Amino acid sequence: MTRPGFAFSTALKVRYAEIDGQRVVFNSRYLEYADVAVTEYWDWTGIAHALGETWREMEFHVRRATVDYLKPLMLGDTVDVSVRIDRVGTSSITKRFELANQHGDLCNVIEIVSVNVHLPTGRPVPIDGDVRRFIEALVVAQPDRVA
């Protein structure tokens, strides 16, 4: 179930391999959930189809990731991961993820800042043209955000 302020979510199931000795999801797995969800988010937006090679030739690297652990996820939980773009900078995008369990309890909030890089140099480069317009339209099209 998509959370308020988001237009997209995807459901994942907590698997045995993802839990730790305390029988809760291991800390690093939350970032893996975000990675799976953002891949599905980009598919949902249709950006690859709309922009073709222009999008596929872009390269975003994670600059910063923060995870707020509010409530543990457990083996067998269904996790709804809601995804949105919060900000488009000159060369970066900020994505927000909210992970809720099957009862609707908010368990985690993740923010990831990714920077568009020129692969040969590894240096940031601006997000320009059609890519910028497409991503900015995603921000505008989101439901009203809840603070």
Side-chain angles (χ1 to χ4, degrees):
M1 181 165 117
T2 305
R3 296 188 53 78
F6 292 81
F8 172 84
S9 71
T10 189
L12 308 169
K13 190 82 162 177
V14 175
R15 301 170 301 170
Y16 181 79
E18 298 164 345
I19 62 171
D20 62 16
Q22 291 79 38
R23 297 185 303 267
V24 299
V25 171
F26 185 67
N27 297 337
S28 67
R29 297 294 185 156
Y30 292 96
L31 291 172
E32 291 178 33
Y33 293 162
D35 189 57
V36 169
V38 80
T39 299
E40 292 186 21
Y41 172 78
W42 290 126
D43 286 346
W44 173 81
T45 69
I47 196 168
H49 178 72
L51 302 179
E53 286 304 308
T54 301
W55 175 247
R56 286 187 282 281
E57 291 175 2
M58 303 278 302
E59 184 64 38
F60 284 91
H61 291 184
V62 172
R63 171 68 173 93
R64 186 181 74 239
T66 58
V67 183
D68 287 328
Y69 301 95
L70 306 172
K71 182 175 182 174
L73 291 164
M74 312 285 288
L75 177 63
D77 279 349
T78 299
V79 184
D80 286 313
V81 185
S82 296
V83 182
R84 73 176 181 221
I85 305 298
D86 265 356
R87 180 180 177 280
V88 183
T90 302
S91 62
S92 67
I93 56 175
T94 302
K95 301 172 293 280
R96 181 180 176 92
F97 304 82
E98 291 189 2
L99 288 69
N101 64 19
Q102 65 273 16
H103 307 294
D105 300 327
L106 182 60
C107 297
N108 301 89
V109 176
I110 300 172
E111 181 182 88
I112 297 177
V113 177
S114 299
V115 177
N116 182 30
V117 298
H118 176 249
L119 277 179
T121 64
R123 302 295 305 156
V125 292
I127 302 168
D128 288 327
D130 292 338
V131 173
R132 173 171 288 285
R133 283 186 287 281
F134 193 99
I135 295 172
E136 285 176 342
L138 294 173
V139 175
V140 171
Q142 293 173 151
D144 290 337
R145 295 186 190 161
V146 176

